[in-house]
């Protein structure tokens, strides 16, 4: 994912919209619950209920697919 898309998804998440991402390396999908702009990471709640912290470079956007 590129930086612009990451920033957009973080903004969408902050205003309460559901933002879905996938982490191909771990084969997990989840909803962004927060972003840490300083470290370019997203805090994600996975579909099985776990909390993960993922670098946006490693993720794919599922919101508009």
């Amino acid at each position: 994912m590129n930086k612009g898309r990451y920033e957009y998804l973080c903004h969408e998440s902050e205003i309460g919209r559901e933002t879905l991402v996938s982490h191909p390396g771990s084969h997990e999908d989840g909803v962004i619950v927060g972003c840490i702009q300083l470290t370019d990471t997203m805090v994600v709640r996975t579909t099985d209920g776990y909390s993960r912290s993922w670098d946006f470079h490693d993720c794919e956007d599922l919101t508009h697919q």
Side-chain angles (χ1 to χ4, degrees), residues 13-30:
S13 175
E14 287 174 5
I15 62 174
R17 294 197 175 116
E18 189 169 78
T19 50
L20 305 171
V21 292
S22 175
H23 190 269
S26 66
H27 306 287
E28 293 178 294
D29 299 331

mmCIF file of all heavy atoms in Angstrom, residues 13-30:
data_model
loop_
_atom_site.group_PDB
_atom_site.id
_atom_site.type_symbol
_atom_site.label_atom_id
_atom_site.label_comp_id
_atom_site.label_asym_id
_atom_site.label_seq_id
_atom_site.Cartn_x
_atom_site.Cartn_y
_atom_site.Cartn_z
ATOM 1 N N SER A 13 -10.755 5.656 9.346
ATOM 2 C CA SER A 13 -10.903 4.923 10.599
ATOM 3 C C SER A 13 -11.176 5.877 11.757
ATOM 4 O O SER A 13 -12.028 5.610 12.611
ATOM 5 C CB SER A 13 -9.641 4.103 10.870
ATOM 6 O OG SER A 13 -9.697 3.487 12.116
ATOM 7 N N GLU A 14 -10.458 7.003 11.777
ATOM 8 C CA GLU A 14 -10.620 7.989 12.851
ATOM 9 C C GLU A 14 -12.032 8.570 12.899
ATOM 10 O O GLU A 14 -12.522 8.895 13.974
ATOM 11 C CB GLU A 14 -9.615 9.125 12.674
ATOM 12 C CG GLU A 14 -8.198 8.737 12.998
ATOM 13 C CD GLU A 14 -7.198 9.836 12.675
ATOM 14 O OE1 GLU A 14 -7.607 10.955 12.273
ATOM 15 O OE2 GLU A 14 -5.994 9.567 12.794
ATOM 16 N N ILE A 15 -12.677 8.707 11.752
ATOM 17 C CA ILE A 15 -14.020 9.296 11.750
ATOM 18 C C ILE A 15 -15.121 8.234 11.864
ATOM 19 O O ILE A 15 -16.296 8.535 11.739
ATOM 20 C CB ILE A 15 -14.252 10.202 10.525
ATOM 21 C CG1 ILE A 15 -14.146 9.434 9.213
ATOM 22 C CG2 ILE A 15 -13.296 11.385 10.543
ATOM 23 C CD1 ILE A 15 -14.525 10.263 7.979
ATOM 24 N N GLY A 16 -14.695 6.980 12.083
ATOM 25 C CA GLY A 16 -15.667 5.937 12.381
ATOM 26 C C GLY A 16 -16.062 5.025 11.243
ATOM 27 O O GLY A 16 -16.942 4.187 11.407
ATOM 28 N N ARG A 17 -15.445 5.185 10.095
ATOM 29 C CA ARG A 17 -15.762 4.300 8.977
ATOM 30 C C ARG A 17 -14.953 3.016 9.081
ATOM 31 O O ARG A 17 -13.808 3.017 9.510
ATOM 32 C CB ARG A 17 -15.483 4.992 7.659
ATOM 33 C CG ARG A 17 -16.404 6.159 7.432
ATOM 34 C CD ARG A 17 -16.419 6.598 5.994
ATOM 35 N NE ARG A 17 -17.404 7.644 5.813
ATOM 36 C CZ ARG A 17 -17.113 8.881 5.450
ATOM 37 N NH1 ARG A 17 -15.875 9.218 5.204
ATOM 38 N NH2 ARG A 17 -18.072 9.772 5.312
ATOM 39 N N GLU A 18 -15.559 1.918 8.664
ATOM 40 C CA GLU A 18 -14.881 0.630 8.702
ATOM 41 C C GLU A 18 -13.843 0.570 7.581
ATOM 42 O O GLU A 18 -14.157 0.807 6.418
ATOM 43 C CB GLU A 18 -15.879 -0.515 8.552
ATOM 44 C CG GLU A 18 -15.249 -1.862 8.797
ATOM 45 C CD GLU A 18 -16.283 -2.950 8.896
ATOM 46 O OE1 GLU A 18 -16.785 -3.372 7.837
ATOM 47 O OE2 GLU A 18 -16.585 -3.363 10.030
ATOM 48 N N THR A 19 -12.614 0.274 7.948
ATOM 49 C CA THR A 19 -11.514 0.209 6.993
ATOM 50 C C THR A 19 -10.872 -1.176 7.085
ATOM 51 O O THR A 19 -10.358 -1.556 8.127
ATOM 52 C CB THR A 19 -10.471 1.297 7.281
ATOM 53 O OG1 THR A 19 -10.126 1.250 8.659
ATOM 54 C CG2 THR A 19 -11.014 2.679 6.959
ATOM 55 N N LEU A 20 -10.934 -1.912 6.008
ATOM 56 C CA LEU A 20 -10.469 -3.294 5.988
ATOM 57 C C LEU A 20 -9.131 -3.418 5.285
ATOM 58 O O LEU A 20 -8.930 -2.853 4.210
ATOM 59 C CB LEU A 20 -11.490 -4.169 5.271
ATOM 60 C CG LEU A 20 -12.917 -4.108 5.807
ATOM 61 C CD1 LEU A 20 -13.856 -4.843 4.865
ATOM 62 C CD2 LEU A 20 -12.984 -4.678 7.197
ATOM 63 N N VAL A 21 -8.226 -4.169 5.901
ATOM 64 C CA VAL A 21 -6.921 -4.422 5.305
ATOM 65 C C VAL A 21 -6.565 -5.901 5.425
ATOM 66 O O VAL A 21 -7.122 -6.625 6.257
ATOM 67 C CB VAL A 21 -5.808 -3.569 5.949
ATOM 68 C CG1 VAL A 21 -5.979 -2.096 5.621
ATOM 69 C CG2 VAL A 21 -5.733 -3.774 7.446
ATOM 70 N N SER A 22 -5.623 -6.289 4.601
ATOM 71 C CA SER A 22 -5.127 -7.660 4.612
ATOM 72 C C SER A 22 -3.623 -7.628 4.794
ATOM 73 O O SER A 22 -2.940 -6.729 4.279
ATOM 74 C CB SER A 22 -5.475 -8.337 3.287
ATOM 75 O OG SER A 22 -4.911 -9.625 3.229
ATOM 76 N N HIS A 23 -3.091 -8.604 5.524
ATOM 77 C CA HIS A 23 -1.650 -8.752 5.711
ATOM 78 C C HIS A 23 -1.245 -10.074 5.059
ATOM 79 O O HIS A 23 -1.378 -11.139 5.661
ATOM 80 C CB HIS A 23 -1.309 -8.759 7.200
ATOM 81 C CG HIS A 23 0.146 -8.680 7.486
ATOM 82 N ND1 HIS A 23 0.921 -9.803 7.633
ATOM 83 C CD2 HIS A 23 0.959 -7.607 7.641
ATOM 84 C CE1 HIS A 23 2.157 -9.429 7.888
ATOM 85 N NE2 HIS A 23 2.206 -8.096 7.891
ATOM 86 N N PRO A 24 -0.800 -10.020 3.801
ATOM 87 C CA PRO A 24 -0.480 -11.255 3.066
ATOM 88 C C PRO A 24 0.555 -12.139 3.753
ATOM 89 O O PRO A 24 0.482 -13.360 3.657
ATOM 90 C CB PRO A 24 0.045 -10.744 1.719
ATOM 91 C CG PRO A 24 -0.546 -9.395 1.567
ATOM 92 C CD PRO A 24 -0.633 -8.835 2.959
ATOM 93 N N GLY A 25 1.486 -11.539 4.471
ATOM 94 C CA GLY A 25 2.526 -12.319 5.135
ATOM 95 C C GLY A 25 1.996 -13.258 6.205
ATOM 96 O O GLY A 25 2.511 -14.354 6.410
ATOM 97 N N SER A 26 0.943 -12.828 6.887
ATOM 98 C CA SER A 26 0.366 -13.661 7.953
ATOM 99 C C SER A 26 -0.966 -14.276 7.536
ATOM 100 O O SER A 26 -1.567 -15.009 8.316
ATOM 101 C CB SER A 26 0.172 -12.830 9.222
ATOM 102 O OG SER A 26 -0.808 -11.833 9.015
ATOM 103 N N HIS A 27 -1.439 -13.923 6.341
ATOM 104 C CA HIS A 27 -2.722 -14.421 5.825
ATOM 105 C C HIS A 27 -3.879 -14.037 6.743
ATOM 106 O O HIS A 27 -4.795 -14.823 6.966
ATOM 107 C CB HIS A 27 -2.686 -15.938 5.616
ATOM 108 C CG HIS A 27 -1.558 -16.379 4.754
ATOM 109 N ND1 HIS A 27 -1.525 -16.167 3.397
ATOM 110 C CD2 HIS A 27 -0.384 -16.993 5.063
ATOM 111 C CE1 HIS A 27 -0.404 -16.641 2.902
ATOM 112 N NE2 HIS A 27 0.312 -17.146 3.890
ATOM 113 N N GLU A 28 -3.833 -12.803 7.274
ATOM 114 C CA GLU A 28 -4.887 -12.310 8.157
ATOM 115 C C GLU A 28 -5.531 -11.067 7.542
ATOM 116 O O GLU A 28 -4.883 -10.301 6.843
ATOM 117 C CB GLU A 28 -4.321 -11.931 9.519
ATOM 118 C CG GLU A 28 -3.807 -13.102 10.325
ATOM 119 C CD GLU A 28 -3.221 -12.651 11.648
ATOM 120 O OE1 GLU A 28 -2.195 -11.951 11.642
ATOM 121 O OE2 GLU A 28 -3.816 -12.999 12.686
ATOM 122 N N ASP A 29 -6.801 -10.887 7.848
ATOM 123 C CA ASP A 29 -7.542 -9.699 7.466
ATOM 124 C C ASP A 29 -8.056 -9.045 8.741
ATOM 125 O O ASP A 29 -8.222 -9.721 9.761
ATOM 126 C CB ASP A 29 -8.758 -10.044 6.601
ATOM 127 C CG ASP A 29 -8.389 -10.739 5.306
ATOM 128 O OD1 ASP A 29 -7.277 -10.502 4.797
ATOM 129 O OD2 ASP A 29 -9.214 -11.519 4.803
ATOM 130 N N GLY A 30 -8.321 -7.745 8.677
ATOM 131 C CA GLY A 30 -8.866 -7.092 9.846
ATOM 132 C C GLY A 30 -9.314 -5.682 9.583
ATOM 133 O O GLY A 30 -9.212 -5.161 8.471
#
